[in-house]
């Protein structure tokens, strides 16, 4: 019976219908679906995440592609519809797969539905704390604690802890989350951090850095006066130098004259400090000293005596140097007076001596004159 449709055209039409049915996922009651299976469930960091693309009737697949958030991240030409990888927090997303069905009559490419994969955090990033405080005095004790917690569903997992200072490893992957420094020294100052890793090494997280500062007490300072500073005169400028051998910065240097503060200097990086002091009068003579001070200690130097010199400060007769000067001045005055007297009397003595010499060479004669007689005698 002829139905007016060639057999060849009928075959092509049937093939087209089957292809459309394959893309639509159903055809005349025969359903062909791809399913994406995810293991394990739930998924935690460090787990082996397994994705398997399967056909509903276990038909063979080829040209399998795996998608994450709509983009291909794995492609397998071989008939191996499986992908494995280590789960991280970035592994969360929407997954699907596609593949080429090779059996007849369900030939063609099919795509699975999407599966939402949520990766759970095994433990949060650790925090490093210093007990009792990251600010320490030299010789004190401090305990470093690397703190984190496992998810309740994975509380049986084992974690290892490492402690680091700057670029050095202090403790490598032990099970104790603490590190103790019994007698802190200034060399223990620095940036500390800890690392937590799972027993299989798949999950590794670091803490933020924690700065530990160990304060060293200041040593007793030495006050240094420059050469010639022991006898300045008014108008001179004297440099007072305060020197400390040890001590954690910031160090403050106060300078004193007879318990009266002259000024303050600071050394942000430690070391020495100096103060320029102008000498104005004899009142600036006395005992000078300096101090060193930081956050934990304070020390005072031995005093240095500064005496005044020069005519600018000789203002009272009671000064010892006046006694030295008065004696030669008195003698000089007496000598001047004596010289003047000698100059005055010496010509007179010469004139007297010359007159005596004339008197000795004269011959004296006596003439007697009778008195005149008066009338009537």
């Amino acid at each position: 019976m002829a139905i007016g449709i060639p057999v060849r055209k009928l075959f092509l039409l049937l093939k087209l219908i089957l292809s459309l049915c394959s893309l639509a996922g159903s055809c005349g009651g025969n359903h062909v679906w791809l399913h994406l299976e995810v293991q394990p469930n739930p998924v935690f960091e460090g787990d082996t995440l397994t994705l398997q693309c399967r056909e509903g009737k276990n038909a063979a697949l080829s040209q399998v592609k795996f998608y994450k958030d709509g983009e291909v991240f794995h492609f397998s030409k071989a008939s191996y519809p499986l992908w494995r990888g280590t789960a991280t927090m970035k592994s969360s997303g929407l997954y699907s797969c596609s593949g080429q069905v090779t059996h007849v009559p369900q030939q063609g490419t099919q795509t699975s539905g999407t599966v939402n994969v949520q990766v759970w955090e095994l433990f949060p990033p650790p925090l490093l704390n210093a007990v009792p405080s990251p600010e320490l005095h030299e010789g004190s004790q401090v305990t470093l604690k690397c703190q984190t917690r496992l998810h309740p569903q994975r509380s049986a997992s084992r974690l290892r802890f490492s402690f680091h200072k700057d670029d050095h490893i202090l403790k490598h992957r032990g099970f104790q989350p603490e590190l103790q420094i019994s007698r802190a020294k200034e060399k223990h100052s620095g940036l500390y951090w800890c690392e937590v890793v799972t027993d299989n090494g798949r999950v590794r997280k670091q803490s933020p850095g924690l700065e530990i500062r160990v304060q060293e007490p200041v040593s007793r300072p030495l006050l240094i006066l420059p050469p010639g500073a022991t006898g300045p005169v008014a108008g001179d400028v004297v440099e007072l130098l305060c020197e400390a051998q040890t001590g954690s910065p910031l160090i403050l240097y106060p300078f004193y004259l007879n318990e009266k503060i002259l000024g303050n200097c600071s050394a942000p990086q430690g070391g020495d400090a100096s103060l320029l002091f102008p000498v104005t009068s004899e009142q600036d003579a006395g005992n000078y000293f300096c101090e060193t001070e930081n956050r934990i200690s304070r020390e005072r130097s031995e005093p240095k005596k500064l005496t005044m010199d020069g005519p600018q400060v000789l203002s009272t007769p009671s000064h010892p140097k006046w006694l030295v000067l008065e004696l030669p001045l008195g003698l000089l005055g007496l000598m001047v007076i004596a010289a003047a007297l000698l100059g005055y009397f010496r010509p007179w003595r010469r004139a007297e001596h010359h007159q005596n010499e004339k008197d000795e060479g004269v011959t004296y004669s006596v003439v007697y004159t009778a008195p005149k007689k008066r009338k009537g005698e």
Side-chain angles (χ1 to χ4, degrees):
M1 178 180 176
I3 58 176
I5 301 176
V7 175
R8 185 172 178 275
K9 290 185 178 179
L10 182 61
F11 178 77
L12 292 175
L13 180 61
L14 180 60
K15 186 175 181 180
L16 177 61
I17 292 173
L18 289 175
S19 298
L20 293 173
C21 291
S22 176
L23 293 174
S26 62
C27 185
N30 294 325
H31 300 280
V32 180
W33 297 94
L34 295 185
H35 301 281
L36 181 64
E37 295 181 355
V38 179
Q39 293 292 333
N41 187 23
V43 185
F44 283 88
E45 293 177 291
D47 289 347
T48 299
L49 179 62
T50 302
L51 303 178
Q52 186 172 8
C53 195
R54 299 171 60 95
E55 193 268 334
K57 295 183 178 181
N58 292 323
L61 297 175
S62 63
Q63 305 292 316
V64 178
K65 297 179 181 179
F66 291 91
Y67 303 82
K68 179 179 182 291
D69 299 327
E71 296 185 0
V72 177
F73 71 91
H74 180 71
F75 172 67
S76 176
K77 292 183 179 180
S79 181
Y80 190 74
L82 195 68
W83 176 86
R84 287 190 178 94
T86 301
T88 66
M89 296 300 296
K90 295 182 178 180
S91 300
S92 297
L94 296 175
Y95 288 81
S96 61
C97 68
S98 68
Q100 184 72 39
V101 180
T102 58
H103 73 86
V104 179
Q106 308 297 339
Q107 292 181 345
T109 301
Q110 299 190 29
T111 303
S112 72
T114 59
V115 178
N116 185 16
V117 176
Q118 176 66 48
V119 179
W120 295 90
E121 188 176 51
L122 183 61
F123 59 88
L127 292 176
L128 183 63
N129 293 322
V131 181
S133 171
E135 299 285 341
L136 306 174
H137 295 175
E138 193 173 50
S140 60
Q141 178 176 300
V142 63
T143 301
L144 303 179
K145 295 185 177 183
C146 190
Q147 297 177 326
T148 188
R149 63 183 184 279
L150 285 164
H151 193 281
Q153 294 187 27
R154 295 294 179 90
S155 58
S157 301
R158 301 180 70 185
L159 299 177
R160 293 179 179 268
F161 301 85
S162 299
F163 291 85
H164 304 256
K165 176 183 179 291
D166 300 326
D167 297 328
H168 307 287
I169 299 177
L170 303 177
K171 181 181 178 182
H172 186 63
R173 294 192 179 182
F175 290 109
Q176 293 296 326
E178 296 183 358
L179 177 67
Q180 189 175 85
I181 301 175
S182 57
R183 293 183 60 85
K185 298 182 179 179
E186 192 177 18
K187 67 179 182 179
H188 292 125
S189 298
L191 189 66
Y192 289 74
W193 51 279
C194 67
E195 181 183 70
V196 181
V197 61
T198 54
D199 209 13
N200 58 15
R202 290 185 176 182
V203 183
R204 178 182 302 177
K205 297 183 181 182
Q206 295 180 1
S207 72
L210 175 66
E211 186 177 2
I212 300 294
R213 290 187 294 181
V214 182
Q215 295 290 322
E216 182 182 19
V218 291
S219 60
R220 189 176 188 182
L222 175 64
L223 180 64
I224 301 175
L225 301 179
T230 55
V233 297
D236 287 350
V237 177
V238 178
E239 182 182 20
L240 306 176
L241 178 65
C242 195
E243 184 180 79
Q245 295 296 326
T246 59
S248 298
L250 171 83
I251 301 178
L252 184 66
Y253 291 87
F255 291 84
Y256 297 87
L257 167 59
N258 298 330
E259 302 296 336
K260 179 182 177 181
I261 189 165
L262 299 175
N264 286 310
C265 297
S266 62
Q269 304 301 324
D272 306 336
S274 62
L275 177 71
L276 295 177
F277 176 66
V279 178
T280 58
S281 68
E282 62 182 349
Q283 294 180 354
D284 294 329
N287 291 322
Y288 287 77
F289 61 91
C290 66
E291 291 181 341
T292 50
E293 179 183 358
N294 63 3
R295 294 183 179 182
I296 60 173
S297 68
R298 185 173 184 172
E299 294 290 341
R300 173 176 291 193
S301 71
E302 288 287 345
K304 291 291 183 69
K305 191 172 184 61
L306 187 66
T307 59
M308 309 303 293
D309 198 1
Q312 293 89 336
V313 294
L314 302 178
S315 59
T316 60
S318 59
H319 196 284
K321 294 184 181 294
W322 275 94
L323 300 178
V324 179
L325 292 174
E326 284 176 352
L327 182 57
L329 288 177
L331 291 175
L332 180 61
L334 292 176
M335 291 175 64
V336 172
I337 294 172
L341 292 175
L342 287 175
Y344 177 80
F345 287 105
R346 188 171 183 180
W348 180 83
R349 292 185 61 189
R350 287 181 177 178
E352 181 183 12
H353 178 70
H354 181 68
Q355 185 64 38
N356 291 335
E357 289 179 348
K358 288 182 178 182
D359 293 343
E360 292 175 358
V362 176
T363 303
Y364 294 96
S365 59
V366 178
V367 179
Y368 177 76
T369 302
K372 293 179 178 182
K373 293 182 178 181
R374 296 180 181 178
K375 292 180 178 183
E377 291 181 355

